[in-house]
Every structure is written in structure tokens, then in C-alpha cells.
């Protein structure tokens, strides 16, 4: 309790003391980000150095609306508009580690949302392809990732259930919305030895690691999770926001 109070005091002091220097906010965010990795991610058992480095580097506050910047390094998902959320930092790290991504890998992400998970992946892998069903989110993510200078990420507006045949097969597929069962078309776009990390279920969801073998797939339950549903194009309201 005391620790929390002093931390809040320190954050407030840093903000006011540095109100005249331009770098102040960024410095506070950087401190919060290092602490997020230590307390929420390393402490819960994430050990992959490349994942930890990416989480330390990527500025999560730039992926949430301005009024939520100060909450960006908290241990929770945050709203990004259109009824969607950016995942909890720990879950992003967990899924990235579970997919065992190599530096020469080609990755497909379903559910671009803010683009945060795509950027974490792009810090580790060679190429990232990401699909978002809501056009305005796909547009803003593409703009954001372009402005940030990521040349190894391609964003496509469209239905993730179809995958991205043109660039298949993939070394790994990360699905960040929950289908009710394993999407077979996506599984078929994995390389032999490729991994798909996907939350399955409607009300109750479980995160699965699906690995493509020479013949068939290995399916492993990892942990209970809560994701927004992976929807079909026919269920989208054009004016939802
Ligand atoms: N990965 C995101 C968070 C994703 S939230 C991030 O880092 O910010 C889940 C996203 O999946 C939402 O933006 C939602 O619109 C999208 N989505 C839901 N169903 C989809 C589908 N069938 N195809 C592609 N995207 C879908």
C-alpha cells in the first residue's frame, strides 16, 4: 500500500517537475513500460528475451486513444473504439512467446485492432501480415504503423477466416479474436511445423496452441482467456462505433 502511494507520488512529482521539459511525459511512459515488463510479464514467467525486449521497446500508449495514455501500462485490456480492445500486455507477451517466433519467420495475425500486437511481432519476425475486419480500424492501424516506419507489416481490411493465401504458408498465426472452433482455412495456411495460437470458445474461452505436423495437427490447451468474438462479415453493422 505504502509502495503504491509512493509510486503515485513519484509519478505526480515527475510530471509536475518536468512540466517545462519536453521529454517529461515520454520519460514517465518509459519508466512505466519497464515496470510493466518486470512486474506483469517477467514476474508471471515470460522468459523469451526477444519477447521481453520487444515489450520494453514498443510504446503501448501510442496505440490507445489519447485520454487513455496514462493507463497504457496498466495490467488490463483497454478500449480502442468500435467495441474492440487492445489486449492486456501479459497476454500479448504470452501469445508471442507461445508461437515460438524466429527472426526469419513470416507471421499472420488475425484482428489487427490498434496494431500493437502486430508491432510486437514485427520487432521479432521478418514479415507480419495482419487482417482486420473493421475498415476504420484497419485504416487507422495502417496509418499508425506507416507513420512509425514499420516496413515489414502489411495490413489488409477483410475477413480473417479466409487467411491470406497470397502469402501463405506461415510459420505462425496469432488470432486475437475468439472463433467458436479452430478455423480450418487458417490451420491449412500453416507450414509443416507451423504454430497457431488461438482463443477458442464463445462465453468460456481457452487459448490453444495448434501445431501442424507432417500429417494432422497437435492441439494443446494453454490457459483460460477473454477475447472479443471473431465475427463473420455478415454480422457487422456498418455504422457501429
Ligand atoms: N490485436 C489487437 C487487438 C485485437 S481486438 C491489438 O493489438 O490491438 C480483436 C480484433 O479482431 C478487433 O479489432 C476485431 O474487429 C477483429 N476481428 C474480429 N473478427 C474478425 C475477423 N473475422 N477477421 C479479422 N478481424 C476480426
Amino acid at each position: 500500500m505504502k509502495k503504491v502511494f509512493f509510486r503515485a507520488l513519484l509519478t505526480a512529482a515527475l510530471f509536475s517537475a518536468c512540466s517545462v521539459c519536453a521529454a517529461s511525459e515520454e520519460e514517465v511512459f518509459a519508466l512505466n513500460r519497464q515496470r510493466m515488463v518486470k512486474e506483469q510479464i517477467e514476474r508471471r514467467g515470460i522468459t523469451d528475451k526477444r519477447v521481453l525486449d520487444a515489450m520494453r521497446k514498443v510504446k503501448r500508449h501510442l496505440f490507445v486513444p489519447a485520454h487513455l495514455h496514462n493507463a497504457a501500462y496498466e495490467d488490463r485490456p483497454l478500449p480502442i473504439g468500435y467495441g474492440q480492445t487492445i489486449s492486456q500486455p501479459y497476454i500479448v507477451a504470452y501469445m508471442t512467446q507461445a508461437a515460438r517466433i524466429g527472426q526469419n519467420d513470416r507471421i499472420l495475425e488475425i484482428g489487427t485492432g490498434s496494431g500493437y500486437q502486430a508491432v510486437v511481432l514485427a520487432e521479432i519476425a521478418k514479415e507480419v501480415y495482419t487482417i482486420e475486419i473493421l475498415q476504420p480500424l484497419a485504416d487507422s492501424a495502417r496509418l499508425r504503423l506507416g507513420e512509425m516506419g514499420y516496413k515489414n507489416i502489411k495490413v489488409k481490411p477483410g475477413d480473417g477466416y479466409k487467411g491470406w493465401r497470397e502469402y501463405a504458408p506461415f510459420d505462425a498465426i496469432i488470432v486475437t479474436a475468439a472463433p467458436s472452433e479452430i478455423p480450418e482455412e487458417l490451420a491449412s495456411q500453416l507450414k509443416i511445423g507451423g504454430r497457431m495460437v488461438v482463443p477458442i470458445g464463445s462465453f468460456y474461452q481457452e487459448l490453444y496452441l495448434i501445431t501442424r505436423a507432417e500429417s494432422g495437427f497437435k492441439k494443446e490447451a494453454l490457459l483460460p482467456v477473454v477475447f472479443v468474438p471473431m465475427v463473420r462479415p455478415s454480422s457487422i453493422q456498418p455504422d457501429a462505433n
Side-chain angles (χ1 to χ4, degrees), residues 11 25 27 29 36 63 69 85 90 111-112 114 116 151 165 197 209 216 235 239:
T11 307
E25 259 203 329
E27 279 167 14
F29 288 139
M36 168 191 90
F63 295 81
H69 277 188
T85 52
Y90 169 66
T112 315
S114 66
Y116 177 70
K151 304 239 182 300
R165 279 252 155 242
V197 180
L209 173 65
S235 69
D239 59 349

Side-chain angles (χ1 to χ4, degrees), residues 173-189:
I173 301 179
I174 304 251
V175 185
T176 67
S180 51
E181 45 199 65
I182 297 171
E184 280 180 22
E185 177 57 33
L186 287 181
S188 78
Q189 294 185 20

Side-chain angles (χ1 to χ4, degrees), residues 63 80 82 84-87 92 109-118 131-134 137 158-161 176-177 227-233:
F63 295 81
I80 54 170
Y82 303 91
Q84 308 305 321
T85 52
I86 178 174
S87 306
V92 172
E109 182 202 19
I110 306 302
T112 315
S114 66
Y116 177 70
Q117 170 80 73
I131 306 175
E132 170 56 54
I133 203 160
L134 296 178
L137 284 179
D159 178 14
Y161 280 103
T176 67
F227 278 82
V228 296
M230 183 160 164
V231 298
R232 300 278 177 185

